[in-house]
């Protein structure tokens, strides 16, 4: 596996999620496409919560167990009401810790960071049989067919809570600009009227802008390209249990190769509120195409 030049992980020694923790104001590190890793930042479970580290709590239909905010309702789980309430509290505590951490690491985003879904993933990566488009063992940047982001960034806080020593095994890949250049010339512009039509038909939750079209094309072309998967610049990264890591998953090429039991908090941030908006995929794609990508 080629790993020439792929060196995207930056490690920090933090041992606390709280406001008085070690690292702060590292917006430039995350915005330039790094993964911030905290090998000593475990998410502590109460003894009574350890039983949740079991795939039986996932209802088998949804990809993950998740909380939807602002109400924090639990989705994708099955069990008795009392157990589900305790599971909800565990995941909600992770959401709170992640938010405190993110605002300390990135104080520039204060007042602008929106809490998205929180997910709990007790199912083994190896057991998640998926179509190629949903196969997250293939390198990709995050982009979703039905959920156009319209330039809004996806900041994610992950934590491996595996109780038996198994790492979350990722691959990470080339910088976003190199990735965009790889496929951009081959991507056709969307058909006139298609964004309106997909929104009107409920296929998309809102307009799929040209930015979203390009991001989805990058996601799909990368996953469908076996040669890219095999031989593009990449590196393996193992996140041991007790490790927390943070990245913009719409910018960092990533793939989950193995592991079980992870928590993940998504935050949304509108690109103008980045410390350096020119580092965003939106700005990079607008520079490379020479046109505005959010307009009609
Ligand atoms: C992904 O975001 O592609 C998957 C991450 C994971 O499950 O480790
Ligand atoms: Fe992903």
């Amino acid at each position: 596996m080629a790993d020439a030049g792929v060196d995207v992980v930056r490690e920090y020694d933090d041992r606390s999620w709280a406001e008085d923790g070690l690292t702060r104001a590292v917006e430039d590190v995350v915005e330039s496409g790094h993964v911030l890793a905290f090998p000593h930042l475990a998410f502590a479970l109460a003894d009574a919560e350890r039983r949740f580290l079991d795939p039986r709590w996932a209802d088998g239909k949804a990809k993950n167990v998740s909380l939807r905010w602002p109400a924090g309702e639990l989705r994708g789980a099955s069990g008795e009401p009392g157990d589900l309430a305790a599971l909800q509290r565990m995941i909600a505590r992770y959401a709170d810790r992640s938010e405190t951490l993110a605002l300390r690491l990135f104080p520039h985003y204060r007042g602008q960071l929106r809490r998205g879904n929180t997910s709990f993933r007790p199912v083994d990566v190896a057991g998640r049989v998926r179509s190629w488009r949903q196969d997250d063992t293939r390198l990709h940047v995050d982009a979703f067919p039905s959920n156009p982001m319209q330039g809004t960034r996806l900041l994610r806080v992950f934590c491996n809570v595996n109780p038996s020593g198994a790492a979350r095994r990722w691959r990470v890949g080339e910088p976003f600009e190199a990735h965009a250049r790889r496929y951009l010339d081959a991507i056709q512009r969307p058909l006139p009227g298609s964004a309106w039509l997909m929104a009107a038909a409920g296929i998309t939750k809102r307009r799929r802008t040209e930015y979203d079209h390009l991001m989805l094309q990058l996601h799909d072309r990368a996953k469908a390209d076996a040669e890219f998967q095999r031989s593009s610049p990449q590196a393996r990264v193992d996140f041991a249990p007790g490790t927390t890591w943070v990245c913009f998953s719409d910018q960092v090429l990533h793939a989950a190769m193995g592991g079980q039991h992870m928590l993940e908090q998504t935050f949304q941030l509108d690109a103008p509120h980045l410390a350096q908006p020119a580092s965003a995929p939106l700005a990079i794609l607008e520079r490379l195409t020479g046109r505005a990508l959010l307009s009609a």
Side-chain angles (χ1 to χ4, degrees), residues 280-294:
L282 174 62
I284 291 170
L285 291 171
E286 290 192 330
R287 174 161 52 75
L288 293 179
T289 58
R291 55 181 190 271
L293 298 174
L294 294 183

Side-chain angles (χ1 to χ4, degrees), residues 60-291:
K61 296 193 282 288
K63 196 167 162 186
N64 306 306
V65 175
S66 62
L67 298 192
R68 301 254 182 110
W69 301 97
E73 73 260 17
L74 186 68
R75 299 286 178 93
S78 67
E80 297 300 317
D83 292 331
L84 294 184
L87 178 58
Q88 195 278 346
R89 283 195 298 276
M90 178 184 87
I91 305 173
R93 193 171 76 248
Y94 181 74
D96 290 342
R97 297 275 187 284
S98 297
E99 190 164 313
T100 305
L101 175 69
L103 292 174
R104 165 161 64 83
L105 298 175
F106 317 120
H108 190 82
Y109 307 158
R110 187 170 287 278
Q112 305 299 338
L113 215 50
R114 298 193 299 275
R115 187 185 280 196
N117 290 353
T118 319
S119 74
F120 172 50
R121 308 184 187 190
V123 179
D124 198 314
V125 168
R128 299 195 301 196
V129 183
R130 301 267 148 210
S131 69
W132 67 269
R133 204 185 206 190
Q134 292 181 321
D135 180 1
D136 289 338
T137 70
R138 305 181 194 209
L139 285 165
H140 64 282
V141 286
D142 285 345
F144 314 105
S146 63
N147 194 12
M149 297 311 296
Q150 302 185 335
T152 295
R153 304 300 311 276
L154 289 167
L155 179 73
R156 292 190 148 159
V157 179
F158 303 90
C159 185
N160 184 354
V161 291
N162 188 285
S164 45
R168 195 82 177 179
R169 295 184 292 110
W170 273 29
R171 293 185 289 154
V172 292
E174 63 195 356
F176 183 83
E177 180 162 344
H179 189 61
R181 287 180 188 274
R182 182 186 289 275
Y183 294 115
L184 211 48
D185 286 346
I187 299 175
Q188 314 264 325
R189 289 175 78 157
L191 292 173
S194 61
W196 179 85
L197 207 62
M198 286 186 288
I203 296 167
T204 54
K205 291 182 192 168
R206 59 192 83 78
R207 283 181 61 85
R208 185 186 291 173
T209 65
E210 194 175 354
Y211 167 76
D212 294 292
H213 172 76
L214 289 175
M215 292 296 285
L216 195 57
Q217 283 284 317
L218 292 177
H219 171 279
D220 289 357
R221 282 170 190 262
K223 282 190 173 177
D225 183 345
E227 180 58 25
F228 167 75
Q229 293 294 327
R230 190 164 47 241
S231 62
S232 69
Q234 58 191 273
R236 292 167 192 260
V237 191
D238 283 357
F239 299 105
T243 302
T244 296
W245 63 104
V246 183
C247 69
F248 278 114
S249 63
D250 54 0
Q251 176 176 12
V252 175
L253 267 287
H254 63 282
M257 308 312 293
Q260 186 178 7
H261 304 305
M262 186 180 76
L263 284 151
E264 174 270 328
Q265 175 65 50
T266 298
F267 297 100
Q268 298 182 0
L269 179 73
D270 292 336
H273 300 302
L274 294 163
Q276 298 173 66
S279 67
L282 174 62
I284 291 170
L285 291 171
E286 290 192 330
R287 174 161 52 75
L288 293 179
T289 58
R291 55 181 190 271

Side-chain angles (χ1 to χ4, degrees), residues 12-78:
Y12 298 88
D13 201 35
D14 298 45
R15 284 145 204 262
S16 163
W17 294 83
E19 272 161 38
D20 62 355
L22 206 55
T23 305
R24 56 198 65 241
V26 285
E27 292 88 349
D28 58 329
V29 183
V30 75
E31 291 182 16
S32 57
H34 292 97
V35 177
L36 284 62
F38 302 88
H40 308 291
L41 195 54
F43 178 69
L45 301 186
D47 286 342
E49 290 172 336
R50 292 186 196 285
R51 65 200 160 105
F52 295 130
L53 302 178
D54 188 316
R56 77 185 158 97
W57 299 99
D59 71 7
K61 296 193 282 288
K63 196 167 162 186
N64 306 306
V65 175
S66 62
L67 298 192
R68 301 254 182 110
W69 301 97
E73 73 260 17
L74 186 68
R75 299 286 178 93
S78 67

